[in-house]
């Protein structure tokens, strides 16, 4: 008769019940073997792309999400020297509060050091306020948010004497950006998209140890490992082009398991063979006149100019309020 049941997928290593079937790798594993396998993969890629060594100090940028906390857990477990950096963006009260709480809890449970930079406390405005005041990106906060994050991460890494700055970008993130840049034939961006960006004139080395790890592999890791992370994405991510490309790529992956990884690896290979050699150019960087951080703009860097503008607007508003009868 008809088979009404389906065989549970078995772990390739021990025959136990698999928690994750990775069709893209033709591999299914049980919880225990998965928790061994994933960090081994990450370590392989750290070594393959020469991201950092066990002697070097790594600053891990954490947001409270699965990728960054999962990454920090893996690096710590592998015996790398890590500290964390959490940037308080002041986005939608409970989103920011909860992501900070989970990041702090994660660090405390493991006795790890977490540096916290709260943008509103330190500089005087939250990211949404900043977006409105500066009128950059027509009030959408992502452009000022990115600018602030990049600046604060680089400065924290340099001032803290870290050899590398690690972010939790996973394969799905990288491939979505790759697809977007390919559709735009954005040669400059394509030339700079890589697992490792070497340090240069005041810019710290940037590494993405999860660049070959699928998003669902990170979700599974955090669930099996019992890491408490924030499930919600930033509310401003909704409707973004990245999410749109991710959805398309997920459809392709469904029909052709491994499509995303294939696309990414072929890109890296093409790059290695010099496909973007002509486009690659080093921006002319020099220290900002005010803060000393590297910038390609003449005089002050865009971070300093942005916050100058905020101060000016705030002073004007305050003066107007005082002058009002
Ligand atoms: Fe910042 Fe949220 Fe935009 Fe990401 S989606 S850049 S966290 S405002
Ligand atoms: Zn097993
Ligand atoms: Zn500056």
């Amino acid at each position: 008769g008809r088979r009404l049941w389906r065989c549970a997928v078995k772990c390739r290593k021990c025959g136990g019940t698999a928690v994750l079937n990775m069709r893209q790798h033709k591999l299914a594993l049980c919880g225990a073997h998965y928790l061994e396998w994933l960090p081994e993969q990450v370590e392989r890629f750290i070594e393959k792309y020469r991201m950092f060594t066990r002697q070097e100090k790594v600053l891990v940028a954490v947001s409270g999400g699965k990728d960054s906390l999962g990454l920090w857990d893996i690096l710590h477990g592998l015996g790398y020297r890590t500290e964390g950096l959490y940037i308080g963006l002041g986005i939608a009260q409970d989103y920011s509060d909860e992501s900070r709480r989970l990041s702090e809890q994660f660090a405390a449970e493991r006795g790890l050091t977490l540096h916290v930079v709260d943008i509103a406390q330190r500089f005087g405005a939250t990211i949404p306020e900043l977006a409105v005041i500066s009128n950059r990106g027509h009030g959408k906060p992502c452009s000022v948010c990115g600018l602030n994050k990049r600046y604060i991460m680089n400065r924290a890494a340099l001032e803290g004497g870290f050899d590398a700055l690690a972010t939790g970008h996973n394969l799905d993130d990288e491939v979505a950006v790759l697809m977007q840049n390919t559709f735009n034939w954005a040669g400059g961006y394509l030339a700079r998209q890589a697992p490792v960006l070497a340090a240069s004139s005041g810019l710290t080395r940037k590494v993405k140890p999860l660049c070959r790890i699928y998003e669902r592999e990170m979700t599974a890791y955090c669930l099996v490992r019992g890491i408490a992370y924030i499930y919600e994405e930033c509310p401003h991510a909704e409707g973004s082009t990245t999410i749109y490309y991710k959805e398309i790529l997920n459809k392709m992956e469904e029909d052709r398991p491994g499509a995303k990884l294939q696309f990414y690896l072929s890109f890296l290979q093409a790059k290695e063979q010099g496909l973007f050699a002509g486009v690659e150019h080093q921006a002319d960087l020099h220290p900002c006149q005010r803060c000393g951080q590297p910038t390609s703009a003449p005089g002050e860097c865009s971070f300093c100019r942005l916050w100058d503008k905020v101060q000016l607007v705030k002073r004007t508003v305050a003066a107007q309020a005082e002058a009002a009868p």
Side-chain angles (χ1 to χ4, degrees):
R2 269 172 63 204
R3 259 166 56 163
L4 292 174
W5 49 273
R6 276 180 41 204
C7 234
V9 180
K10 296 225 167 76
C11 170
R12 186 202 281 175
K13 298 201 175 163
C14 70
T17 308
V19 290
L20 191 65
N21 183 14
M22 297 172 282
R23 292 202 297 156
Q24 66 275 19
H25 306 308
K26 297 191 178 63
L27 179 67
L29 292 170
C30 70
H33 283 119
Y34 186 63
L35 291 183
E36 271 175 25
W37 179 82
L38 192 73
E40 279 168 15
Q41 294 294 303
V42 174
E43 185 175 26
R44 239 185 74 206
F45 303 141
I46 290 171
E47 287 169 3
K48 179 178 171 65
Y49 299 112
R50 299 170 192 277
M51 294 188 185
F52 45 82
T53 65
R54 282 200 166 66
Q55 283 71 46
E56 292 183 305
K57 260 177 68 180
V58 181
L59 184 63
V60 185
V62 296
S63 66
K66 64 184 185 318
D67 301 302
S68 54
L69 291 184
L71 170 63
W72 198 6
D73 183 74
I74 290 171
L75 296 183
H76 175 58
L78 287 169
Y80 289 103
R81 295 175 63 195
T82 57
E83 289 178 18
L85 170 66
Y86 175 84
I87 302 178
L89 304 168
I91 288 170
Q93 200 72 44
D94 21 315
Y95 171 77
S96 277
D97 286 354
E98 183 65 357
S99 59
R100 176 172 177 169
R101 188 185 71 74
L102 290 168
S103 303
E104 283 174 338
Q105 177 187 310
F106 176 95
E109 280 170 3
R110 291 160 179 79
L112 289 164
T113 304
L114 178 71
H115 305 271
V116 175
V117 177
D118 187 278
I119 292 185
Q121 251 172 34
R122 184 89 145 249
F123 304 105
T126 64
I127 290 295
E129 286 166 358
L130 197 52
V132 173
I133 297 174
S134 73
N135 203 21
R136 260 175 77 129
H138 311 286
K140 207 173 174 358
C142 295
S143 126
V144 284
C145 184
L147 167 67
N148 275 268
K149 283 195 284 198
R150 279 193 300 277
Y151 180 92
I152 292 168
M153 287 192 287
N154 190 63
R155 193 162 168 179
L158 286 177
E159 290 179 356
F162 290 92
D163 300 285
L165 171 74
T167 54
H169 294 101
N170 58 39
L171 178 74
D172 295 56
D173 299 324
E174 289 303 296
V175 174
V177 170
L178 174 58
M179 193 169 189
Q180 192 174 350
N181 288 338
T182 304
F183 268 102
N184 295 328
W185 290 121
Y189 285 119
L190 288 166
R192 263 173 285 134
Q193 189 180 353
V196 185
L197 273 181
S200 71
S201 48
L203 285 177
T204 194
R205 186 193 320 156
K206 285 193 194 132
V207 298
K208 298 169 186 164
L210 304 182
C211 65
R212 286 176 61 166
I213 310 295
Y214 278 75
E215 184 172 327
R216 70 185 280 267
E217 293 171 10
M218 287 313 295
T219 309
Y221 181 81
C222 288
L223 291 178
V224 178
R225 187 93 172 99
I227 295 173
Y229 65 88
I230 187 158
Y231 295 107
E232 293 85 44
E233 289 218 38
C234 171
H236 301 291
E238 207 178 304
S240 70
T241 1
T242 317
I243 291 187
Y244 174 71
Y245 282 121
K246 278 185 179 174
E247 282 165 4
I248 293 174
L249 285 155
N250 282 341
K251 280 184 197 140
M252 294 173 67
E253 181 79 22
E254 222 167 90
D255 297 335
R256 232 161 32 96
K260 288 183 213 174
L261 186 58
Q262 184 60 44
F263 184 33
Y264 186 62
L265 293 183
S266 308
F267 162 67
L268 292 186
Q269 200 176 18
K271 224 157 105 119
E272 212 166 279
Q273 290 164 354
L275 189 63
F276 300 99
V279 214
E280 228 163 332
H281 88 284
Q282 200 65 46
D284 213 357
L285 295 177
H286 55 85
C288 162
Q289 275 174 6
R290 172 165 325 184
C291 71
Q293 288 293 292
T295 178
S296 56
E300 289 185 6
C301 73
S302 37
F303 179 87
C304 286
R305 275 184 287 139
L306 176 66
W307 283 100
D308 260 358
K309 189 172 168 187
V310 173
Q311 295 312 327
L312 183 69
V313 170
K314 280 189 156 184
R315 274 199 304 272
T316 314
V317 170
Q320 278 168 352
E322 231 168 76

